[in-house]
Amino acid sequence: MRPEILFPLYAPITSLKGVGVRVAPLLEKLAGPVVRDVLFLRPHSVIQRTHATVNTAIEGATQIFEVQIDAFKKPRSPQQPWRVETYDGTGVLTLVFFGGFGGQLEQKHPLGAKRLVSGKVERFGLNLQIAHPDYFLPPERADEIALFEAVYPATAGLPARTVRKFALEALERAPELPEWQDAAWLAREQLPTWREALVRLHAPAGEIDLAPQTPHIRRLAYDELLAHQLAMAQRKADRRREPAAKLVPAEISAKIRADLPFSLTGAQERALADIRNDFAAGERMSRLIQGDVGSGKTVVAMLAMADVAGGGGQSALMAPTEILARQHFETLSGPLSDHGISAVLLTGRDKGLARAEKLRALASGAVQVAVGTHALFQDDVNFQRLQLAVVDEQHRFGVAERQRLQAKGEAVHLIAMSATPIPRTLELTVYGDLDVSRIDEKPPGRTPVATRAVPMSRVEEVEARLRDVIANGAQAFWICPLVSESELIDLKAAEKRAAELRQKIGPGVGLVHGKMSGPEKDAVMADFADGKISLLVATTVVEVGVNVPNATIMVIEQAERFGLAQLHQLRGRVGRGSRESACVLLYDPPLSETAQKRLDILRRTDDGFQIAEVDLELRGGGDALGLRQSGFPAYVFADPIAHRDLIATAGDDARMIVDRDPELTSERGKALRVLQELFDWRPSSPLRDAG
Ligand code: ADP
Ligand code: MG
């Protein structure tokens, strides 16, 4: 239920003066449907105006002049502008109006009248001019001209100045709200109240007031982060109140482990111990295992599934593509069945009798482990006693899909797996409601992938080398970038590249691209995995997690265009067998300094977590695109990089609040409910990866 005190902020934008049927859709597009959204619009820059005279005017500055109208120069054709000559006692200033704006000029500003005019000063030949002054007023209206003016986002038909007017009106509607932040903390950090912060947001006195570390921006960012962290902490606490069957490490699990041809890495041990702690706690587990491709997540999940089977329960492992599901099945079914645990593979391909047979086995409990794709959560799939869902590449599934699988049993534990390592601070933001285990150590004996950056001018050398290694039986990937807006154009480029390579290297060149259907892609990938294709040219990111141990070379064209995380993932496709592998980053010179640094870090390390940290630093505040793709919420005020410290504090604060006041009934608790409403972060909001 929304607190009454927020009603004015949740009124529709049409309640703002001047927002009628024409403006409302434009403003809604820019901000959102309610007054709160307009209140939360952020100015992106500040115009600073100074008073000047023509003889002291500064080109490029926005200045205010007091002038007298001297002459009107009508355009001789519609393409030409109106010109208004003015004089301020020190020199001539010409005002220029393009696009038929001049019609009413003479009426509104008669010859000889005194006027205040403001705008950006330009030089045109010997003359100074202002094109489309931002103010052109009689002197008695001087106070309408702001010396500092916040510039708001605008859209066609809705100029920034009008948006500013709406924002200021929204500000007037904003009530004082009860303080939800810890008073001592606010005082220590010298942060203003919520309302004061908004007042300053909308009245910046210079660029500095727009910077992320300005106290009022930090205050708003912290509010937003706390609202989000609190929602996630509440979710986590709710989940922990859901009782689930206690599970203990099974003997069968120990036997499987003893039979593995390797021993677990320390990081795998820790992840398994985390899972077993959760199993023993009698609460429903939601744990994310984060680790690079090849770090050995699947083995850990397998041992957890064996624990479940040992206790008489069932597990389901879901992968995003058929080929991945098949690979998992091949890895798991051997070790499991050796110890009497039977597994089935269930994908969209299973039809008719064979499928019915598998479904019966799952429903009766004859089978303890199901490995599959989306086919696993279809309505007619039933389990006798599903206790654990394992979701590989969890970001490829929607929350609803994962929940459908979990709904096939009671209080089903969840292990989500992700091969996209993210930095710690962001971990809290993206996965704050999950428990996270990191596998930050690779199994021993891998030869690192030799990584080189090579300018495009040397592509022929690369092709020649490819021809040699392929002749010796190796396999390789060649990734083409997505460069244009149009997938079709990218596809053409990739087809051309594939044709060229076919000419140079031979017939075993295949192409996989984004315009293909899932099954078509799977078919090409399967041919590659089977060795029928030696060189795979791809426009899209090669299917996550596909294991082709024989592939030893990864060529990435225009590597400078890819995100660091993406490059790291792509490189992870090779170096999976015992043979030496290489990754060639082809680039178009010259490289920007940042691009250079990005390619450098790839050459220096193979640690996904370290790469993710560097990636975050190199991004600077601006480009949050990659973050958003990895599930990072679209914050209004908080900046994931500039406000890292605040993310960590908000996480701690949220946990403390939930421990002390889980129902939010204290004074602060009640105020915090207002905060959550204000930012739409309620415990029930649809968070992407919530467990
Ligand atoms: P992920 O799922 O994290 O990508 P996998 O679990 O598929 O990684 O493991 C990749 C490969 O490494 C598999 O062939 C697996 O058998 C092997 N592997 C896993 N753990 C170890 C280990 N501790 N030592 C040696 N090899 C391992
Ligand atoms: Mg995997």
Side-chain angles (χ1 to χ4, degrees), residues 297-298 328 392-393 545:
K297 300 182 289 293
T298 315
H328 279 313
D392 193 19
E393 309 297 347

Side-chain angles (χ1 to χ4, degrees), residues 613-624:
E613 293 284 353
V614 172
D615 192 20
L616 186 64
E617 258 152 48
L618 290 182
R619 269 179 222 273
D623 164 30

Side-chain angles (χ1 to χ4, degrees), residues 262-265 268 292-299 443-444 446 576:
F262 48 77
S263 49
L264 298 188
T265 62
Q268 284 173 313
D292 269 336
V293 166
S295 59
K297 300 182 289 293
T298 315
V299 182
R446 306 262 162 96
R576 316 193 102 201

Side-chain angles (χ1 to χ4, degrees), residues 148-177:
F148 293 103
E149 184 177 305
V151 185
Y152 285 81
T155 181
L158 192 57
R161 177 115 31 101
T162 313
V163 175
R164 171 166 168 262
K165 209 184 79 201
F166 296 145
L168 292 178
E169 206 198 322
L171 180 61
E172 274 172 35
R173 309 272 184 99
E176 293 282 359
L177 295 177

Side-chain angles (χ1 to χ4, degrees), residues 318 346 373-381 383 397-398 400-406 408:
M318 183 160 75
L346 189 69
T373 56
H374 294 75
L376 284 175
F377 60 71
Q378 301 312 312
D379 286 339
D380 59 347
V381 181
F383 291 81
F397 293 97
E401 293 181 319
R402 204 203 54 223
Q403 283 170 348
R404 277 178 73 183
L405 179 61
Q406 277 182 281
K408 295 195 178 290

Side-chain angles (χ1 to χ4, degrees), residues 112-169:
K114 286 230 164 31
R115 286 293 180 263
L116 284 175
V117 60
S118 157
K120 194 164 170 186
V121 178
E122 295 165 7
R123 182 168 293 283
F124 188 70
L126 287 178
N127 277 328
L128 285 187
Q129 68 173 37
I130 290 177
H132 297 276
D134 47 21
Y135 290 97
F136 191 19
L137 304 168
E140 57 272 20
R141 288 170 62 190
D143 56 357
E144 285 178 32
I145 306 182
L147 291 188
F148 293 103
E149 184 177 305
V151 185
Y152 285 81
T155 181
L158 192 57
R161 177 115 31 101
T162 313
V163 175
R164 171 166 168 262
K165 209 184 79 201
F166 296 145
L168 292 178
E169 206 198 322

